[in-house]
Amino acid sequence: MNYQSTRSSAAPVTPAQAIVAGLAPDGGLYLPEQFPQVGPEQLRALVGMDYEGRAVEILSLFLTDFSRQELAAAVAAAYSRQKFAPPQVAPVVSLDDRTHVLELFHGPTCAFKDFALQLLPHLLTGALAKTGCQKTAVILVATSGDTGKAALEGFADVPGTKICVFYPDGGTSNMQRLQMTTQKGGNVQVLAVDGNFDNAQTGVKQIFTDRPLEEELDGKGFLLSSANSINWGRLAPQIVYYFSAYCQLVQDGKIALGQQVNICVPTGNFGNILAAYYAKHCGLPVARFICASNQNNILTDFLTTGIYDRNRPFYLTTSPSMDILISSNLERLLYLLCGRDPAKLKGYMDQLSAQGRYQVDGGILERLQAEFAAGWADDAAAARTIRRVWEQYGYLCDTHTAVAMDVLAQYQQRTGDATPTLVSSTASPFKFADAVLPAAFGVPAQGDDFARLAQLAAASGLAAPAQLLELQSLPERFTRVVPPDRMKQAVQDWLLGNG
Ligand SMILES: *Cc1c(COP(=O)(O)O)cnc(C)c1O
């Protein structure tokens, strides 16, 4: 299976090359040349496997230059019981006959990005070896919170890698800061930047484009790399959990093998829902996708009208991981719907960068709407839904999942569609205790972060995740603050030891 860029017909590359490169040289995103097919018999076989087994089967379809042994080792390291709370890696909880919640928050950071970022380091080091590169991969991340921690957890102590995360000093929640500053591992570095997220991100971009630095590091055996969400190595691991969830429903007798389901996803960058789309087009029996947005409802507008227009206000919501106006992974879907015509796709992307807006043609809109429904929920609707789901089912969901649950209810009311639905649950409610406490229980959150965890545990009768509780007693390892113009020096000091 080779990989093609969305923006040119340049020669395709191997899976390993696509993972090492991240972005294609023409600025496009890599995707597989075809959809590999999982037939009914293979699907039946997957039902009898555990998560790790399903992961190896699905990944081997996409990462054809990795041996099964390599994939099995990577999967075992990524999804071990030490990293994902037992009993299951990605459990499915059925609220009623047609509402099934796929819980993607039992990993080290209690959010779904763990699925990609636990596996990516192993795929990256494997891919580097395959492309003949002997260097240590140095991952640089600028983060406003969650991605940095997930990347740290994924790369910590993975041989052949080092990771440095920059976060804005005072620009994250205290819990997010503690998650990073207490990070374990001999190959990790965490630095606060005396500035905002943009300063941190600009600083990282400058380091990536600094040719003299690149040469200096190259001479010392280092290769700078990113753990960016557009890397195919982050998308592929997400396809697995949709297959796994479907198999779980079959195994639990909730659906028959071959029966169609809908999939409802709280969406930001369009990565998670695109993985579901890939699962369908590889043979998973899926009828429709329901794309759920918060008040930043640019995708709802796009899927309704065919117009993508980022010239609009940006809102900070209680579902911050969906506060996004440019959904980068949408480019991959559009490319497919353009009939894999890079020139046509590039026309839209050029309009987006020049005018912040494009309108797809009627044929593309029709194909989009044949598979995608869309809707959005503001903070108040999400809060009401947290309460409703708690009262109706005794199930506590976080603010992102609540957006999906609300949009699903709107969709079902509007269409009468009674197809069983998998709802992607992307974060633990304990990660968003501030918003969940008043929504579910009508009480304000009180005290510090750890008091709030205890408060939510007491109110719900659920145990707070150990990954969050333990932060209270872990030593803070990283306390250094650097000005934005010293970020490069800090990286040099860390890697080359001249400081
Ligand atoms: C990243 C994230 C999302 C959005 O996922 P995309 O793949 O960017 O669409 C939703 N919820 C949570 C909790 C997230 O961390």
Side-chain angles (χ1 to χ4, degrees):
M1 178 72 70
N2 284 323
Y3 286 69
Q4 220 161 20
S5 164
T6 50
R7 296 204 193 177
S8 79
S9 321
V13 300
T14 63
Q17 288 169 327
I19 289 170
V20 169
L23 201 66
D26 52 42
L29 275 54
Y30 282 116
L31 40 63
E33 281 189 305
Q34 305 100 28
F35 290 108
Q37 290 303 306
V38 177
E41 277 318 304
Q42 201 178 353
L43 192 56
R44 185 187 304 278
L46 289 177
V47 173
M49 298 180 191
D50 60 9
Y51 192 87
E52 290 83 341
R54 292 166 185 164
V56 172
E57 291 300 315
I58 298 302
L59 291 169
S60 67
L61 301 172
F62 289 100
L63 307 178
T64 44
D65 53 356
F66 286 68
S67 71
R68 273 172 174 270
Q69 243 165 345
E70 288 172 316
L71 290 175
V75 162
Y79 304 119
S80 70
R81 290 296 177 264
Q82 284 74 44
K83 302 224 170 194
F84 283 75
Q88 280 162 313
V89 178
V92 181
V93 176
S94 295
L95 301 187
D96 58 29
D97 287 350
R98 64 175 193 190
T99 315
H100 309 285
V101 182
L102 166 55
E103 293 188 344
L104 299 172
F105 54 77
H106 296 286
T109 75
C110 303
F112 95 100
K113 287 182 183 67
D114 288 332
F115 280 84
L117 283 166
Q118 282 297 320
L119 194 61
L120 178 70
H122 305 285
L123 299 182
L124 182 62
T125 52
L128 281 171
K130 284 176 204 306
T131 56
C133 177
Q134 309 287 319
K135 297 196 169 59
T136 297
V138 178
I139 309 296
L140 299 183
V141 180
T143 185
S144 53
D146 284 342
T147 303
K149 174 59 178 177
L152 284 167
E153 278 294 333
F155 281 92
D157 287 334
V158 173
T161 74
K162 282 175 165 282
I163 178 164
C164 177
V165 169
F166 293 96
Y167 70 91
D169 193 26
T172 67
S173 75
N174 187 50
M175 186 77 103
Q176 287 174 324
R177 185 184 63 78
L178 282 177
Q179 280 189 305
M180 293 186 277
T181 58
T182 59
Q183 178 66 47
K184 297 171 189 165
N187 62 341
V188 306
Q189 172 69 286
V190 178
L191 294 162
V193 176
D194 186 13
N196 58 26
F197 172 66
D198 281 339
N199 299 134
Q201 191 163 43
T202 305
V204 165
K205 278 188 187 151
Q206 279 168 357
I207 296 172
F208 273 123
T209 51
D210 188 323
R211 291 298 149 235
L213 177 66
E214 185 183 326
E215 275 169 36
E216 183 187 7
L217 294 180
D218 186 79
K220 306 280 180 177
F222 294 115
L223 176 78
L224 291 181
S225 183
S226 85
N228 205 301
S229 75
I230 48 84
N231 193 309
W232 182 261
R234 279 188 61 177
L235 204 95
Q238 300 181 348
I239 301 170
V240 172
Y241 52 69
Y242 287 109
F243 274 96
S244 181
Y246 184 92
C247 292
Q248 193 64 50
L249 288 178
V250 173
Q251 205 172 33
D252 294 349
K254 306 284 182 191
I255 57 172
L257 187 65
Q259 187 180 343
Q260 287 197 319
V261 298
N262 287 341
I263 297 180
C264 179
V265 184
T267 298
N269 215 4
F270 213 76
N272 195 3
I273 196 168
L274 185 73
Y277 180 87
Y278 263 86
K280 172 180 176 176
H281 288 265
C282 294
L284 195 70
V286 179
R288 290 176 78 74
F289 305 99
I290 299 150
C291 176
S293 300
N294 63 22
Q295 194 175 0
N296 296 295
N297 55 6
I298 188 165
L299 286 169
T300 312
D301 287 349
F302 175 61
L303 293 168
T304 313
T305 65
I307 298 171
Y308 195 95
D309 190 350
R310 63 169 294 199
N311 304 302
R312 60 173 69 214
F314 173 76
Y315 299 101
L316 293 173
T317 73
T318 55
S319 43
S321 300
M322 298 159 69
D323 292 343
I324 280 179
L325 289 183
I326 295 270
S327 298
S328 353
N329 264 303
L330 183 61
E331 175 167 342
R332 286 193 167 107
L333 176 65
L334 265 187
Y335 172 79
L336 293 168
L337 296 178
C338 285
R340 296 181 183 263
D341 176 353
K344 187 165 179 181
L345 182 272
K346 193 168 177 305
Y348 293 140
M349 293 300 115
D350 287 347
Q351 285 174 43
L352 181 64
S353 50
Q355 290 127 37
R357 179 186 192 281
Y358 60 87
Q359 175 166 17
V360 296
D361 69 37
I364 292 179
L365 181 60
E366 206 171 295
R367 289 196 286 283
L368 270 172
Q369 292 180 340
E371 292 187 271
F372 288 86
W376 65 284
D378 63 14
D379 286 354
R384 280 197 305 275
T385 299
I386 289 173
R387 169 74 68 109
R388 171 177 67 81
V389 171
W390 174 252
E391 288 181 346
Q392 201 172 339
Y393 303 110
Y395 185 80
L396 194 63
C397 60
D398 93 292
T399 46
H400 303 76
T401 309
V403 167
M405 293 293 288
D406 188 77
V407 170
L408 174 62
Q410 295 175 37
Y411 167 79
Q412 288 172 335
Q413 194 146 41
R414 187 166 75 232
T415 60
D417 186 348
T419 308
T421 302
L422 266 173
V423 179
S424 213
S425 177
T426 50
S428 160
F430 284 91
K431 254 199 135 161
F432 297 93
D434 288 11
V436 170
L437 270 164
F441 305 103
V443 295
Q446 276 167 340
D448 70 5
D449 293 311
F450 299 100
R452 290 162 189 211
L453 288 182
Q455 198 188 351
L456 187 56
S460 65
L462 300 167
Q467 306 92 301
L468 298 180
L469 287 174
E470 72 166 9
L471 295 176
Q472 199 165 14
S473 54
L474 290 178
E476 283 195 61
R477 299 178 62 201
F478 303 99
T479 52
R480 196 168 151 206
V481 184
V482 297
D485 62 3
R486 299 282 294 173
M487 288 170 61
K488 170 181 164 182
Q489 188 62 49
V491 169
Q492 286 172 310
D493 294 347
W494 170 55
L495 291 176
L496 308 173
N498 13 306

Short mmCIF file of all heavy atoms in Angstrom, two decimals, residues 48 153 172 178 187 195 235 249 257 280 346 349 352 392 397:
data_model
loop_
_atom_site.label_atom_id
_atom_site.label_comp_id
_atom_site.label_asym_id
_atom_site.label_seq_id
_atom_site.Cartn_x
_atom_site.Cartn_y
_atom_site.Cartn_z
N GLY A 48 -13.61 -12.34 17.38
CA GLY A 48 -13.06 -13.24 18.39
C GLY A 48 -11.75 -12.78 19.00
O GLY A 48 -11.19 -13.46 19.86
N GLU A 153 3.54 11.36 27.25
CA GLU A 153 3.26 10.00 27.71
C GLU A 153 3.61 8.98 26.64
O GLU A 153 4.08 7.89 26.93
CB GLU A 153 1.78 9.86 28.07
CG GLU A 153 1.42 10.34 29.45
CD GLU A 153 2.05 9.49 30.56
OE1 GLU A 153 2.31 8.30 30.33
OE2 GLU A 153 2.27 10.03 31.66
N THR A 172 -2.21 27.41 30.79
CA THR A 172 -2.91 26.12 30.85
C THR A 172 -3.63 26.04 32.19
O THR A 172 -3.39 26.85 33.08
CB THR A 172 -1.92 24.94 30.78
OG1 THR A 172 -1.15 24.95 31.99
CG2 THR A 172 -0.99 25.05 29.59
N LEU A 178 0.46 20.51 35.82
CA LEU A 178 1.01 19.44 36.65
C LEU A 178 1.21 18.15 35.86
O LEU A 178 2.18 17.42 36.06
CB LEU A 178 0.08 19.16 37.84
CG LEU A 178 0.14 20.15 39.00
CD1 LEU A 178 -0.89 19.78 40.05
CD2 LEU A 178 1.54 20.16 39.61
N ASN A 187 14.02 10.80 28.65
CA ASN A 187 14.21 11.46 27.36
C ASN A 187 13.27 12.64 27.17
O ASN A 187 13.00 13.04 26.05
CB ASN A 187 14.00 10.45 26.22
CG ASN A 187 12.58 9.90 26.21
OD1 ASN A 187 11.87 9.97 27.22
ND2 ASN A 187 12.16 9.36 25.08
N GLY A 195 5.19 33.69 27.70
CA GLY A 195 4.41 34.25 26.61
C GLY A 195 3.13 33.44 26.46
O GLY A 195 2.82 32.62 27.33
N LEU A 235 -3.43 8.94 12.38
CA LEU A 235 -4.78 8.59 11.94
C LEU A 235 -5.03 7.08 11.97
O LEU A 235 -6.08 6.61 12.44
CB LEU A 235 -5.05 9.13 10.53
CG LEU A 235 -6.55 9.29 10.36
CD1 LEU A 235 -6.98 10.71 10.69
CD2 LEU A 235 -7.03 8.88 9.01
N LEU A 249 -19.80 -4.85 20.00
CA LEU A 249 -21.26 -4.86 19.96
C LEU A 249 -21.77 -6.21 19.46
O LEU A 249 -22.78 -6.73 19.97
CB LEU A 249 -21.79 -3.74 19.05
CG LEU A 249 -21.66 -2.31 19.60
CD1 LEU A 249 -22.16 -1.30 18.57
CD2 LEU A 249 -22.42 -2.15 20.91
N LEU A 257 -23.86 -9.52 13.24
CA LEU A 257 -22.71 -9.29 12.36
C LEU A 257 -23.24 -8.86 10.99
O LEU A 257 -24.10 -9.52 10.42
CB LEU A 257 -21.90 -10.58 12.24
CG LEU A 257 -20.58 -10.46 11.48
CD1 LEU A 257 -19.60 -9.55 12.19
CD2 LEU A 257 -19.96 -11.84 11.27
N LYS A 280 -15.38 2.64 7.60
CA LYS A 280 -16.52 2.29 6.75
C LYS A 280 -16.07 1.89 5.35
O LYS A 280 -16.51 0.87 4.82
CB LYS A 280 -17.49 3.46 6.66
CG LYS A 280 -18.59 3.21 5.64
CD LYS A 280 -19.58 4.35 5.51
CE LYS A 280 -20.56 4.01 4.38
NZ LYS A 280 -21.61 5.02 4.25
N LYS A 346 -6.65 21.29 -4.60
CA LYS A 346 -5.73 22.39 -4.34
C LYS A 346 -6.42 23.73 -4.60
O LYS A 346 -6.18 24.71 -3.89
CB LYS A 346 -4.48 22.25 -5.21
CG LYS A 346 -3.35 23.17 -4.79
CD LYS A 346 -2.05 22.80 -5.49
CE LYS A 346 -0.94 23.76 -5.11
NZ LYS A 346 -1.24 25.17 -5.35
N MET A 349 -8.18 24.55 -1.43
CA MET A 349 -7.25 24.88 -0.34
C MET A 349 -6.59 26.24 -0.57
O MET A 349 -6.35 26.99 0.37
CB MET A 349 -6.19 23.78 -0.20
CG MET A 349 -6.74 22.45 0.26
SD MET A 349 -7.55 22.54 1.89
CE MET A 349 -9.23 22.15 1.46
N LEU A 352 -8.98 28.76 0.48
CA LEU A 352 -9.03 28.82 1.95
C LEU A 352 -7.89 29.67 2.49
O LEU A 352 -8.11 30.51 3.37
CB LEU A 352 -8.98 27.41 2.54
CG LEU A 352 -9.07 27.31 4.07
CD1 LEU A 352 -10.40 27.84 4.58
CD2 LEU A 352 -8.87 25.87 4.55
N GLN A 392 -31.24 10.06 33.08
CA GLN A 392 -31.90 9.01 32.31
C GLN A 392 -31.18 7.67 32.42
O GLN A 392 -31.80 6.62 32.51
CB GLN A 392 -31.95 9.46 30.85
CG GLN A 392 -33.00 8.77 30.01
CD GLN A 392 -33.09 9.44 28.63
OE1 GLN A 392 -32.69 10.59 28.44
NE2 GLN A 392 -33.61 8.70 27.66
N CYS A 397 -21.12 11.85 31.44
CA CYS A 397 -20.24 12.11 30.29
C CYS A 397 -19.58 13.48 30.42
O CYS A 397 -20.05 14.36 31.14
CB CYS A 397 -20.99 11.96 28.96
SG CYS A 397 -22.39 13.03 28.71
#
